[in-house]
């Protein structure tokens, strides 16, 4: 079985996968907006808010999940605030990524734990928005993001409804590219093919492939028969 054939369904995480660690300032600019939201909601200093943001991320999987559990924050209010284009930075234009994405023969979707306006703006900034067949975002996932079972169930039913193959024995046709090990683990446990995209993270044994950067996918596509 060849990795780059039409039957594959490619799912790309957005943050720190479609743009890499070298553009972490993009994510930092969003995290700053999140810290301001936490500051306003909890009524603490920006420094303390930044600590709470990280703690919620560790305890609940996302800062939003923590805010929702502790302060009943409405997800749309959260995203309306943090995606306000004040001080946000977007990834730079990426012609090499465009060439790479255009060389992939299967369907391609973005699978993100953010609301789609964030990734829409980033993909446009990189000039790769039209390379994808769609975006599955946190709102579509009813605010239950990766690595919840719900998110992967919903993704599979989306794939089925789109008329793409998804019988139990073809789950390996679904390929997830991610920088997050927990998100990859959940995908692996249901039989998807997993690609870790991370410059320094150690590859767990069960991960199928490891790329230091998205652009290295080019070499995997050329060489790999799975
Ligand atoms: Mg990510």
């Amino acid at each position: 079985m060849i990795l780059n054939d039409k039957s594959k369904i490619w799912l790309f995480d957005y943050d720190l996968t479609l743009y890499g660690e070298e553009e972490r300032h993009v994510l930092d600019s969003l995290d700053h907006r999140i810290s301001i939201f936490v500051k306003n909601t909890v009524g603490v200093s920006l420094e303390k808010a930044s600590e709470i943001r990280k703690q919620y991320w560790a305890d609940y999987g996302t800062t939003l999940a923590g805010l929702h559990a502790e302060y009943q924050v409405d997800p749309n209010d959260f995203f309306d605030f943090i995606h306000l284009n004040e001080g946000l930075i977007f990834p730079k234009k990426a012609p090499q990524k465009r060439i790479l994405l255009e060389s992939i023969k299967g369907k391609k979707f973005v699978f993100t734990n953010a609301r789609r306006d964030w990734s829409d703006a980033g993909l446009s900034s990189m000039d790769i928005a039209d390379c994808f067949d769609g975006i599955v975002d946190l709102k579509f996932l009813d605010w239950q993001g990766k690595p919840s079972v719900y998110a992967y169930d919903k993704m599979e039913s989306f794939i089925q409804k789109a008329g793409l193959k998804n019988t139990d024995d073809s789950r390996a046709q679904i390929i997830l590219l991610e920088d997050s090990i927990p998100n990859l683990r959940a995908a692996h446990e249901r039989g998807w093919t997993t690609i870790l995209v991370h410059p320094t993270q150690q590859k767990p044994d069960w991960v199928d492939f490891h790329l230091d950067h998205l652009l290295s996918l080019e070499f995997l596509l050329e060489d790999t028969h799975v």
Side-chain angles (χ1 to χ4, degrees):
M1 190 164 71
I2 299 164
L3 197 61
N4 193 13
D5 69 27
K6 278 187 187 167
S7 68
K8 301 293 185 296
I9 298 153
W10 296 81
L11 307 180
F12 295 83
D13 173 48
Y14 174 64
D15 290 293
L16 298 181
T17 297
L18 279 173
Y19 68 88
E21 192 65 39
E22 75 283 2
E23 293 188 280
R24 180 171 273 275
H25 55 280
V26 172
L27 190 58
D28 289 343
S29 76
L30 184 67
D31 282 343
H32 183 65
R33 290 291 301 167
I34 295 173
S35 291
I36 296 171
F37 185 91
V38 172
K39 169 180 173 282
N40 296 346
T41 303
V42 182
V44 292
S45 69
L46 191 59
E47 193 181 6
K48 180 73 184 161
S50 183
E51 283 171 27
I52 293 171
R53 171 177 65 75
K54 289 175 196 162
Q55 195 59 50
Y56 282 176
W57 198 85
D59 292 348
Y60 294 92
T62 62
T63 306
L64 171 61
L67 287 166
H68 185 68
E70 306 264 346
Y71 291 90
Q72 295 77 50
V73 163
D74 182 309
N76 274 312
D77 292 343
F78 174 77
F79 285 112
D80 286 348
F81 181 86
I82 68 165
H83 290 170
L84 260 186
N85 197 356
E86 283 176 24
L88 290 181
I89 299 170
F90 297 99
K92 62 181 185 297
K93 196 171 174 183
Q96 284 179 288
K97 288 178 190 170
R98 166 172 278 279
I99 292 167
L100 169 72
L101 290 164
E102 285 176 345
S103 76
I104 296 175
K105 292 173 182 157
K107 295 281 185 191
K108 299 177 285 289
F109 299 93
V110 176
F111 184 27
T112 175
N113 271 1
R115 203 175 62 182
R116 66 172 295 155
D117 36 333
W118 172 242
S119 53
D120 274 341
L123 297 178
S124 295
S125 173
M126 286 189 271
D127 191 27
I128 57 171
D130 59 331
C131 294
F132 295 94
D133 296 285
I135 297 177
V136 170
D137 75 341
L138 193 64
K139 188 171 184 177
F140 181 81
L141 300 171
D142 304 309
W143 312 114
Q144 298 180 58
K146 300 170 282 182
S148 77
V149 170
Y150 185 88
Y152 297 76
D153 282 346
K154 186 116 188 195
M155 187 72 222
E156 285 185 5
S157 83
F158 169 82
I159 288 169
Q160 245 169 0
K161 281 178 193 157
L164 305 166
K165 274 187 190 172
N166 186 34
T167 56
D168 278 351
D169 61 5
S170 70
R171 278 188 170 148
Q173 307 278 49
I174 305 173
I175 303 169
L176 178 64
L177 292 97
E178 261 279 355
D179 64 295
S180 157
I181 298 282
N183 294 355
L184 286 170
R185 181 180 287 281
H188 168 74
E189 282 171 357
R190 55 204 303 145
W192 298 7
T193 299
T194 52
I195 302 181
L196 172 65
V197 184
H198 199 288
T200 54
Q201 177 79 52
Q202 190 80 19
K203 174 189 173 298
D205 289 345
W206 50 265
V207 163
D208 296 298
F209 304 103
H210 182 199
L211 306 173
D212 59 343
H213 190 275
L214 181 72
L215 288 173
S216 304
L217 179 60
E218 179 192 345
F219 307 108
L220 199 62
L221 292 176
E222 277 173 12
D223 298 343
T224 308
H225 296 238
V226 289

